[in-house]
């Protein structure tokens, strides 16, 4: 049975539903799912799996292309958009980290120009994630962000960046430890920008106040933190306990132990999300690299990215969302369906995207066909964006 066919001028995609495993036929028209039919039993073993397109809320680069290397060219953004289709990513939020005000402005303008001139990039980039510079200046919570550029939340500065981005900044990671935080959060929320708590040394009281002001998410919860924390209270427990906060997690198998992932998922339930937080070295061959942020780093054969002088210190994430899904399922932490939802449906729901409908009639036809092997490995076969086949293995 073919995976794709044409019928009356419409595209018909066949596969096993990622939630039920049952064989389905998806009819696509005008970029949307027109209909989903259940096929007769007994044919599913011959079919690939089919799920909604993956949505990455936090990605710094891929395949040698870096959103944070200024000057950024619009062509880099366009190429990276197309590279991500090979990994099943149909929607993403290019992530711009702490830097000088001028460099951030230039990067934002380049991303915006790519969206304005390239309809395909525009359809995939649903917003820009500004991660910093309104974060903690302390070692540990600050992570790899450059300390000279860390600053208190500044609404006027943010407005300048939003103008450079042509209004495309829709997600901001900041620390509510600054005195100006609550008013900044309220201004962002009123303007439609989602505020996430991250890279923080905030007190429990400051975190609760930030949530009351409108903060909705935790950025890579459990990472970018001090190596030693008070047993309780601390800023990880406080965010975990806040029912209002969604939790983004890096599930690459290196950033968070399985026990921590398990606890986070159980506490947050349907508000648990996975992100790649991948740097530009993701997708490259294992080896030693010199980076403009972390210096000498090593991308190990097992997928771990660490400092060259200390293998115990991570230098970022080098894996895509499909790797995180695979890790969660392989370790028995959740089902394939739940892991896939954490990388597609749930981030879409958080950001108010139409793709939150998933595999339903009238939903956008952002689809991924993939192989799920007996050894637990996942392999992307085909990716559809708004009904168009954009990638095939």
């Amino acid at each position: 049975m073919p995976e794709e066919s044409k019928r009356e001028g419409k595209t018909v995609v066949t596969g096993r539903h990622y939630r039920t495993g049952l064989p389905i036929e998806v009819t696509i028209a005008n970029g949307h799912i027109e209909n989903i039919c259940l096929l007769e039993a007994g044919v599913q073993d011959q079919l690939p799996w089919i799920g909604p397109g993956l949505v990455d809320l936090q990605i710094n680069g891929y395949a040698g292309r870096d959103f944070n290397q200024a000057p950024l060219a619009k062509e880099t953004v366009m190429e990276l958009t197309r590279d991500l289709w090979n990994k099943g990513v149909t929607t993403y939020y290019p992530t711009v980290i702490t830097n000088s005000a001028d460099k951030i402005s230039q990067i934002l303008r380049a991303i915006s120009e790519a969206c304005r001139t390239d309809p395909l990039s525009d359809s995939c980039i649903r917003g820009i994630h500004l991660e910093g510079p309104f974060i903690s200046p302390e070692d540990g919570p600050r992570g790899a962000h450059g300390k000279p550029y860390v600053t208190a939340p500044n609404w006027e500065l943010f407005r300048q960046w939003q103008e450079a981005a042509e209004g495309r900044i829709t997600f901001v990671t900041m620390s509510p430890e600054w005195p100006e935080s609550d008013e900044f959060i309220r201004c962002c929320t009123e303007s439609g920008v989602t505020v996430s708590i991250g890279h923080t040394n905030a007190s429990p009281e400051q975190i609760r106040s930030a949530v009351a002001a409108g903060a909705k998410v935790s950025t890579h919860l459990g990472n970018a933190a001090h190596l030693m924390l008070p047993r309780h209270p601390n800023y990880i427990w406080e965010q975990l306990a806040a029912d209002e906060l969604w939790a983004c997690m890096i599930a690459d198998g290196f950033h968070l132990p399985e026990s921590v992932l398990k606890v986070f998922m159980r506490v947050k339930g349907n508000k648990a999300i996975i992100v790649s937080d991948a740097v530009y070295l993701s997708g490259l061959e294992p080896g030693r690299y010199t980076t403009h942020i972390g210096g000498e780093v090593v991308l190990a054969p097992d997928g771990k990215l660490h400092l060259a002088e200390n293998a115990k210190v991570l230098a970022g994430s080098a894996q895509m969302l499909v790797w995180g899904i695979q890790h969660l399922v392989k370790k028995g932490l959740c089902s394939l369906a739940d892991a896939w939802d954490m990388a597609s449906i749930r981030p879409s729901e958080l950001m108010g995207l139409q793709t939150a409908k998933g595999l339903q009639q009238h939903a956008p036809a952002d689809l991924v066909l993939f192989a799920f092997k007996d050894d637990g490995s996942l392999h992307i076969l085909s990716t559809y964006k708004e009904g168009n086949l954009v990638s095939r293995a």
Side-chain angles (χ1 to χ4, degrees):
M1 180 178 293
E3 298 170 9
E4 179 190 311
S5 60
K6 297 291 183 179
R7 188 179 304 158
E8 298 177 354
K10 300 173 183 177
T11 300
V12 179
V13 181
T14 305
R16 301 170 64 183
H17 196 293
Y18 78 108
R19 293 203 67 85
T20 65
L22 296 175
I24 58 172
E25 186 179 78
V26 181
T27 303
I28 301 171
N30 300 317
H32 287 73
I33 297 174
E34 183 179 81
N35 193 32
I36 299 178
C37 292
L38 186 64
L39 300 178
E40 63 182 47
V43 300
Q44 58 261 43
D45 291 343
Q46 309 165 29
L47 297 174
W49 294 78
I50 182 169
L54 302 180
V55 179
D56 201 341
L57 297 179
Q58 187 174 9
I59 179 167
N60 307 282
Y62 176 64
R65 299 183 174 91
D66 189 356
F67 287 126
N68 292 285
Q69 181 69 64
L72 177 66
K74 68 175 183 179
E75 289 78 12
T76 299
V77 180
M78 294 158 60
E79 292 163 358
L80 203 152
T81 297
R82 289 154 175 79
D83 287 337
L84 291 177
W85 291 337
N86 299 325
K87 294 299 182 179
V89 177
T90 54
T91 300
Y92 74 101
Y93 290 70
T95 302
V96 181
I97 69 168
T98 302
N99 211 324
S100 71
D102 289 342
K103 286 185 177 179
I104 289 177
S105 293
Q106 190 278 320
I107 291 168
L108 294 172
R109 282 193 294 269
I111 296 171
S112 181
E113 185 179 3
C115 292
R116 187 170 7 93
T117 58
D118 177 35
L120 290 174
S121 292
D122 190 47
S123 68
C124 294
I125 297 174
R126 293 290 82 200
I128 297 172
H129 179 169
L130 183 65
E131 185 188 3
F134 312 131
I135 60 173
S136 177
E138 286 206 17
D139 292 347
R142 193 181 71 256
H145 290 236
K147 188 172 184 177
Y149 303 120
V150 172
T151 187
N154 184 321
W155 178 244
E156 289 306 312
L157 179 58
F158 177 81
R159 286 181 62 188
Q160 293 174 27
W161 285 333
Q162 188 67 290
E163 183 177 353
E166 299 180 16
R168 288 185 169 86
I169 302 173
T170 58
F171 195 102
V172 174
T173 291
M174 54 85 67
S175 173
E177 67 196 71
W178 301 90
E180 304 87 346
S181 295
D182 287 358
E183 181 59 27
F184 178 81
I185 293 170
R186 279 190 286 269
C187 288
C188 284
T189 301
E190 290 170 3
S191 69
V193 176
T194 298
V195 176
S196 186
I197 298 172
H199 289 276
T200 186
N201 186 38
S203 68
E205 293 77 18
Q206 289 171 325
I207 290 172
R208 288 194 292 269
S209 184
V211 171
K216 292 181 63 176
V217 201
S218 295
T219 292
H220 47 50
L221 187 61
N223 293 115
H226 293 98
L227 291 178
M228 298 291 290
L229 283 172
R231 180 178 53 183
H232 47 69
N234 62 55
Y235 45 76
I236 295 177
W237 277 114
E238 198 62 40
Q239 292 178 78
L240 193 60
D243 294 334
E244 301 90 338
L245 291 178
W246 296 65
C248 292
M249 306 171 293
I250 305 172
D252 62 354
F254 308 112
H255 279 76
L256 295 172
E258 294 161 31
S259 58
V260 174
L261 285 167
K262 183 176 182 180
V263 170
F264 284 4
M265 288 189 294
R266 286 197 176 184
V267 172
K268 289 301 180 179
N270 289 334
K271 287 188 174 181
I273 292 172
I274 60 173
V275 297
S276 72
D277 197 17
V279 300
Y280 76 99
L281 296 176
S282 56
L284 299 186
E285 292 296 318
R288 189 182 181 105
Y289 294 89
T290 301
T291 70
H292 62 95
I293 295 177
E296 294 292 315
V297 300
V298 172
L299 178 55
D302 65 356
K304 180 180 180 181
L305 182 65
H306 60 81
L307 296 182
E309 69 271 18
N310 189 346
K312 294 182 179 180
V313 179
L314 296 176
S317 167
Q319 304 304 332
M320 294 286 98
L321 282 176
V322 68
W323 176 291
I325 295 170
Q326 177 180 284
H327 175 70
L328 292 175
V329 177
K330 267 189 171 184
K331 296 301 181 180
L333 297 175
C334 65
S335 66
L336 169 64
D338 285 343
W340 199 276
D341 279 352
M342 280 192 276
S344 59
I345 301 292
R346 294 184 195 171
S348 294
E349 183 181 352
L350 167 65
M351 300 306 293
L353 306 180
Q354 287 296 308
T355 46
K357 297 177 181 177
L359 293 188
Q360 293 186 39
Q361 190 177 24
H362 307 309
D366 290 5
L367 308 173
V368 177
L369 274 67
F370 61 96
F372 184 33
K373 304 291 188 180
D374 291 339
D375 63 1
S377 62
L378 286 171
H379 304 275
I380 304 298
L381 303 175
S382 303
T383 302
Y384 291 78
K385 179 63 184 178
E386 296 178 347
N388 297 308
L389 177 64
V390 293
S391 173
R392 173 169 282 168

